[in-house]
Amino acid sequence: MLTISAVQAMDDWSDDGWGDDWTDVPASPWELSGFVEAGYGARTGDDPAISQSSTLGDIRGRLSLDYVADNWRLDMQGEALYDDVIHDTQWTVRELALSFSPVDQLDIKAGRQVITWGIGDYLFLNDLFPKDWQSFFSGRDDEFLKAPSDSLKASWFADRFSVDLVWTPEFEPDNALTGERFSFFSPVAGATVAPDPALNPEEPSGSTLSTRLATSHQGVEYALYGHAGYWPTPLGVNDQGQMMYPGLNSWGGSIRAPAYSGLLNTEFSWYDSEDDRDGTDPNIPNSQLRGLLGYEREVADNLTAAVQYYLEWTADYDSQQSGAVYPEYSQDEYRQLLTLRLTWLTMQQKLNWSLFSFWSPSDEDAYIRPSVTYRVNDQWTLATGANLFYGNREYSFFGQHENNSNGWVRARFSF
């Protein structure tokens, strides 16, 4: 539930020995914070499709200014980013949202904000809010994987359950790979490409609507999800041959429960590709059933392990293959994925060793993300890591990015 914290009064000192008249001075309702960060990354090898070796060249500054009143708050985050990879300076508003509670059981947040839900770890089944995959693959902080959107979020809390409703007036897609920074496989070219100018898919102007019903009982969390909108990445092709975002509805659910000193979770979602429910149009992705099963626990002091099994079934697969222009590049009807996350905290939890790996036995490819983060003090944080791709097929989900493998370093000063 939204927390609109009241301004806390100072402690009520009553020690007569001080001999002074104390007056409670409320803390300021304003809160200012921010950071300056520099990052650099480069490919581990040559990419014939892109001459530039660097994959990350950021100098970023952020200012966050929040105002907290008794029954409402205003959150603002602005950023300036010089991106040396694309030689561009970007000024962005990451958050500008007003939160308030018109009645006791209802919270409203309106404006630009980052929204997320679901229980998958780097696997998003029912979370169809925008993602920034270019940031994810280039080594930026994980927080940039979740991209903001201009949305209205209403959350209603009853005694035994809660309901969230998110309306985004204008669809906002993922920041997918376009060829500016990373190459990708093109079935038309039959090879890995980095188009110049970069891809510019046709974006629909419609809205999206997402909802979640959540409850818990005896320590077990249950949730149901619904979404009406569009595929978040440009998986369709219009009559002019331009990539576009077909319509998509989804329904799903999740359960998370304690088990054997750890957490067991499962999530599923049905993707209804509403523009081609028969699965016969080769330019529209088919409907899919997606599911995962995961487990996480601490296996030693400060060492946590988490595993996930993910399955993606494509409906009407035979119809899709019979109509496909390039059936040899289609993914399997059943795409499987196994993930492993290891997190080890040392030096009084100032040093964080992390390894996340994806491995697909059906695609015969893998993606490994090792990283080390050291918190020097309250101001300075240093981090380094890599994004390593491997695949037997040039067109598979991760295999197409083998030449995008990269290493990166970052330094952040917070204030």
Side-chain angles (χ1 to χ4, degrees):
M1 184 171 181
L2 170 69
T3 301
I4 300 179
S5 58
V7 177
Q8 295 181 347
M10 298 179 64
D11 292 342
D12 184 14
W13 292 88
S14 58
D15 188 342
D16 293 336
W18 288 92
D20 296 327
D21 292 330
W22 285 81
T23 302
D24 289 344
V25 180
S28 170
W30 294 97
E31 182 176 342
L32 177 66
S33 61
F35 66 79
V36 178
E37 183 177 73
Y40 176 76
R43 285 182 174 77
T44 56
D46 296 330
D47 186 345
I50 296 182
S51 59
Q52 185 169 237
S53 61
S54 61
T55 53
L56 180 67
D58 287 359
I59 299 177
R60 182 191 301 266
R62 172 188 291 179
L63 278 179
S64 300
L65 181 62
D66 303 329
Y67 183 89
V68 181
D70 287 340
N71 55 4
W72 61 275
R73 65 177 294 155
L74 181 65
D75 297 291
M76 297 173 283
Q77 281 187 3
E79 292 185 351
L81 168 67
Y82 174 70
D83 188 338
D84 192 53
V85 176
I86 58 174
H87 310 293
D88 187 29
T89 300
Q90 302 166 9
W91 301 85
T92 58
V93 176
R94 185 166 176 83
E95 184 171 23
L96 180 57
L98 177 66
S99 304
F100 57 98
S101 299
V103 296
D104 287 345
Q105 294 178 305
L106 178 64
D107 290 343
I108 303 289
K109 187 171 185 178
R112 193 155 187 81
Q113 55 189 299
V114 175
I115 303 172
T116 186
W117 59 40
I119 59 176
D121 190 1
Y122 287 157
L123 295 174
F124 305 101
L125 282 70
N126 292 292
D127 178 353
L128 291 166
F129 303 110
K131 309 292 183 300
D132 186 344
W133 297 109
Q134 295 201 33
S135 291
F136 187 67
F137 287 159
S138 62
R140 289 173 178 153
D141 192 281
D142 273 4
E143 71 169 300
F144 296 106
L145 172 59
K146 309 290 180 65
S149 61
D150 296 325
S151 300
L152 174 67
K153 181 180 181 183
S155 302
W156 184 64
F157 302 92
D159 292 338
R160 296 183 179 275
F161 62 90
S162 64
V163 179
D164 297 290
L165 190 65
V166 178
W167 177 57
T168 303
E170 186 171 349
F171 166 68
E172 297 199 30
D174 289 357
N175 185 20
L177 307 191
T178 59
E180 285 181 316
R181 191 182 308 269
F182 298 114
S183 58
F184 55 87
F185 183 80
S186 166
V188 177
T192 301
V193 300
D196 186 13
L199 288 181
N200 184 26
E202 178 191 21
E203 293 186 15
S205 58
S207 63
T208 63
L209 186 65
S210 304
T211 185
R212 176 180 64 175
L213 171 65
T215 187
S216 63
H217 179 65
Q218 295 184 343
V220 181
E221 300 173 6
Y222 306 88
L224 296 173
Y225 308 88
H227 174 84
Y230 305 89
W231 289 84
T233 52
L235 298 178
V237 179
N238 63 18
D239 293 339
Q240 291 72 44
Q242 185 181 11
M243 299 183 72
M244 56 96 168
Y245 303 86
L248 174 68
N249 300 317
S250 74
W251 300 271
S254 67
I255 300 175
R256 178 160 49 196
Y260 303 103
S261 304
L263 280 176
L264 181 68
N265 63 78
T266 184
E267 184 172 358
F268 73 95
S269 186
W270 170 251
Y271 282 29
D272 169 29
S273 191
E274 65 170 342
D275 291 346
D276 182 32
R277 289 196 167 101
D278 296 332
T280 56
D281 187 341
N283 293 321
I284 303 295
N286 282 23
S287 298
Q288 291 183 334
L289 178 64
R290 301 182 177 193
L292 71 80
L293 180 65
Y295 182 71
E296 174 185 357
R297 66 168 294 180
E298 188 177 62
V299 295
D301 287 347
N302 295 317
L303 175 61
T304 302
V307 294
Q308 296 178 116
Y309 171 74
Y310 170 82
L311 178 64
E312 186 176 293
W313 171 64
T314 300
D316 302 307
Y317 189 76
D318 291 341
S319 297
Q320 173 189 282
Q321 287 297 91
S322 63
V325 180
Y326 306 102
E328 64 272 29
Y329 299 137
S330 299
Q331 73 172 40
D332 291 352
E333 180 178 2
Y334 296 92
R335 177 171 177 256
Q336 301 178 70
L337 197 60
L338 292 165
T339 74
L340 168 66
R341 177 189 285 276
L342 294 174
T343 304
W344 184 33
L345 302 175
T346 61
M347 297 179 63
Q348 299 178 325
Q349 300 190 345
K350 291 182 177 179
L351 188 60
N352 183 344
W353 304 79
S354 176
L355 174 67
F356 196 99
S357 64
F358 301 84
W359 173 62
S360 173
S362 54
D363 287 358
E364 299 179 5
D365 60 5
Y367 172 30
I368 302 172
R369 289 171 52 89
S371 67
V372 180
T373 303
Y374 178 54
R375 182 169 56 83
V376 180
N377 50 40
D378 290 342
Q379 286 76 44
W380 284 98
T381 302
L382 308 176
T384 186
N387 295 281
L388 306 174
F389 301 91
Y390 167 80
N392 283 330
R393 308 170 187 169
E394 190 182 12
Y395 59 88
S396 70
F397 194 87
F398 295 125
Q400 65 181 307
H401 300 304
E402 193 164 319
N403 291 331
N404 292 325
S405 294
N406 61 82
W408 52 267
V409 294
R410 296 195 314 265
R412 174 179 293 194
F413 177 79
S414 303
F415 57 90

